[in-house]
Amino acid sequence: MPISADLEWCGFGIRQAGTAIGDWESFMKWDALEEEPCSLARTVAVIGDRWSLLILRECFLRRRRFEAFQSSLGITRHLLAERLKKLVRFGVLRRIPYQDSPKRYEYILTQKGLDLYPIMMSIVHWGDIHMVDSRGRPLLHEHKKCGKMFNPVMVCSECGEPVAAKGVHVHPGPGARQTPTAA
Amino acid sequence: MPISADLEWCGFGIRQAGTAIGDWESFMKWDALEEEPCSLARTVAVIGDRWSLLILRECFLRRRRFEAFQSSLGITRHLLAERLKKLVRFGVLRRIPYQDSPKRYEYILTQKGLDLYPIMMSIVHWGDIHMVDSRGRPLLHEHKKCGKMFNPVMVCSECGEPVAAKGVHVHPGPGARQTPTAA
């Protein structure tokens, strides 16, 4: 499918040239983000706030329990319960009982949650490069398979070469917003 | 540097076993996030809210002007100005004049901003896999270099093999929080 000259495009979104602004004004209603024909906006609906990202960090830290999250993050019980409920609703965490009386639950990453790892590692790596202080990186990462300290690198699934913003063309996919075509 | 048995670790954070919870309660004061010895928290200080992520999406969409951001996002002028100011302060965007009377500015991604691409693409890819509706992906990405539609893959900089959460050991780096050692 060739890139249409009618479409203004980039790596993340696509919209028809000349689309009325009004079409996009509704875009930013958070509850509707997950319905948007934009995979970035849909993901932002799940993880696009600090608490969710930091709760997920705790999960990758192998923390599982409400009290542990609360103690680590200093978040209110109400906010924490709300964010955990959201992450369970989106299938990122699974809630499993670990005690009967009173009933208590642990929260563990599902496969969908574990698949967030490249996002989390990209965030860490950017911080390692751009937000590091004079002392250097807080953590070094060792790839178990090769035994070396490594940086994450984003590559193309087809040719294995690194991918950067300016090296990508974007085409409307089957789930793109339907737009009238000029030709 | 070997992994210390005294340290509970994961891919993103590290803390000494038995550290008093109080040490971590202050962690979540947002203004202090960028000072934390955790590259994820530091990055979250920059991009860890929906507006910042969506403004950055607009920037990668090659939007540059205040009015264009506002029209696309339906964000208030006050919030938009505040977020742009923050992104400029962190060196992710650069503000350059494009008109003299009245003085008007464009906002463009710096190299530090362009380096956010793997984060943005990882977010998009997760949405493509896990948040897609029955119609399929909104967008397809073509790697200019090889000419094929691709998925981003996170690999190890040393051996080139894919990296997953369970395949990584973490070691304290030079910028880790200072902790007394047991040996």
Side-chain angles (χ1 to χ4, degrees), chain B residues 51 66 70 73-82:
Chain B
W51 285 123
F66 191 97
Q70 204 197 1
L73 300 176
I75 185 174
T76 67
R77 295 182 72 83
H78 173 77
L79 259 181
L80 176 57
E82 188 274 327

CSV table of all heavy atoms in Angstrom, one decimal, chain B residues 51 66 70 73-82:
chain,number,residue,atom,x,y,z
B,51,TRP,N,-0.4,14.3,28.6
B,51,TRP,CA,-0.2,15.5,27.7
B,51,TRP,C,1.1,15.6,27.1
B,51,TRP,O,1.3,15.8,25.9
B,51,TRP,CB,-0.5,16.8,28.4
B,51,TRP,CG,-2.0,17.1,28.7
B,51,TRP,CD1,-2.6,17.3,29.9
B,51,TRP,CD2,-3.0,17.1,27.7
B,51,TRP,NE1,-3.9,17.4,29.7
B,51,TRP,CE2,-4.2,17.4,28.4
B,51,TRP,CE3,-3.1,17.0,26.3
B,51,TRP,CZ2,-5.5,17.5,27.7
B,51,TRP,CZ3,-4.3,17.1,25.6
B,51,TRP,CH2,-5.5,17.3,26.4
B,66,PHE,N,2.3,26.4,18.4
B,66,PHE,CA,1.4,26.4,19.6
B,66,PHE,C,0.0,26.2,19.1
B,66,PHE,O,-0.7,25.3,19.7
B,66,PHE,CB,1.6,27.7,20.3
B,66,PHE,CG,0.9,27.7,21.7
B,66,PHE,CD1,1.6,27.5,22.8
B,66,PHE,CD2,-0.5,28.0,21.7
B,66,PHE,CE1,1.0,27.5,24.1
B,66,PHE,CE2,-1.1,28.0,23.0
B,66,PHE,CZ,-0.4,27.8,24.1
B,70,GLN,N,-2.5,23.1,20.0
B,70,GLN,CA,-3.8,23.3,20.7
B,70,GLN,C,-5.0,22.8,19.9
B,70,GLN,O,-5.9,22.2,20.4
B,70,GLN,CB,-3.9,24.8,21.0
B,70,GLN,CG,-4.8,25.0,22.2
B,70,GLN,CD,-5.4,26.4,22.2
B,70,GLN,OE1,-5.1,27.3,21.4
B,70,GLN,NE2,-6.1,26.7,23.3
B,73,LEU,N,-5.0,18.9,19.9
B,73,LEU,CA,-5.1,18.2,21.2
B,73,LEU,C,-6.3,18.7,22.0
B,73,LEU,O,-6.7,18.0,22.9
B,73,LEU,CB,-3.8,18.3,22.0
B,73,LEU,CG,-2.6,17.7,21.4
B,73,LEU,CD1,-1.4,18.0,22.3
B,73,LEU,CD2,-2.7,16.2,21.1
B,74,GLY,N,-6.9,19.8,21.7
B,74,GLY,CA,-7.9,20.3,22.5
B,74,GLY,C,-7.5,20.6,23.9
B,74,GLY,O,-8.3,20.6,24.8
B,75,ILE,N,-6.3,20.9,24.1
B,75,ILE,CA,-5.7,21.2,25.4
B,75,ILE,C,-5.9,22.7,25.7
B,75,ILE,O,-5.9,23.5,24.8
B,75,ILE,CB,-4.2,20.8,25.4
B,75,ILE,CG1,-3.6,21.0,26.8
B,75,ILE,CG2,-3.4,21.6,24.4
B,75,ILE,CD1,-2.1,20.4,26.8
B,76,THR,N,-6.0,23.1,27.0
B,76,THR,CA,-6.1,24.5,27.3
B,76,THR,C,-4.8,25.2,27.0
B,76,THR,O,-3.7,24.6,27.1
B,76,THR,CB,-6.5,24.8,28.7
B,76,THR,OG1,-5.4,24.3,29.6
B,76,THR,CG2,-7.8,24.0,29.1
B,77,ARG,N,-4.8,26.5,26.7
B,77,ARG,CA,-3.6,27.2,26.4
B,77,ARG,C,-2.7,27.2,27.6
B,77,ARG,O,-1.5,27.1,27.5
B,77,ARG,CB,-3.9,28.7,26.1
B,77,ARG,CG,-4.7,28.9,24.8
B,77,ARG,CD,-5.0,30.3,24.5
B,77,ARG,NE,-3.7,31.0,24.0
B,77,ARG,CZ,-3.3,31.0,22.8
B,77,ARG,NH1,-3.9,30.3,21.8
B,77,ARG,NH2,-2.2,31.6,22.5
B,78,HIS,N,-3.3,27.3,28.8
B,78,HIS,CA,-2.4,27.3,30.0
B,78,HIS,C,-1.7,26.0,30.2
B,78,HIS,O,-0.5,26.0,30.4
B,78,HIS,CB,-3.3,27.5,31.2
B,78,HIS,CG,-2.6,27.4,32.5
B,78,HIS,ND1,-1.7,28.4,33.0
B,78,HIS,CD2,-2.5,26.4,33.4
B,78,HIS,CE1,-1.2,28.0,34.2
B,78,HIS,NE2,-1.7,26.8,34.4
B,79,LEU,N,-2.4,24.9,30.0
B,79,LEU,CA,-1.8,23.6,30.2
B,79,LEU,C,-0.7,23.3,29.1
B,79,LEU,O,0.4,22.8,29.4
B,79,LEU,CB,-2.8,22.5,30.1
B,79,LEU,CG,-3.3,21.8,31.4
B,79,LEU,CD1,-4.3,20.7,31.1
B,79,LEU,CD2,-2.2,21.2,32.2
B,80,LEU,N,-1.1,23.7,27.9
B,80,LEU,CA,-0.1,23.5,26.8
B,80,LEU,C,1.1,24.3,27.0
B,80,LEU,O,2.3,23.8,26.8
B,80,LEU,CB,-0.8,23.9,25.4
B,80,LEU,CG,0.1,23.8,24.2
B,80,LEU,CD1,0.7,22.4,24.0
B,80,LEU,CD2,-0.7,24.2,23.0
B,81,ALA,N,1.0,25.6,27.4
B,81,ALA,CA,2.1,26.4,27.6
B,81,ALA,C,3.0,25.8,28.7
B,81,ALA,O,4.3,25.8,28.6
B,81,ALA,CB,1.7,27.8,28.0
B,82,GLU,N,2.4,25.3,29.7
B,82,GLU,CA,3.1,24.7,30.9
B,82,GLU,C,3.9,23.5,30.4
B,82,GLU,O,5.1,23.3,30.8
B,82,GLU,CB,2.1,24.4,32.0
B,82,GLU,CG,2.7,24.0,33.3
B,82,GLU,CD,3.0,22.5,33.4
B,82,GLU,OE1,2.2,21.7,32.8
B,82,GLU,OE2,4.0,22.1,34.0
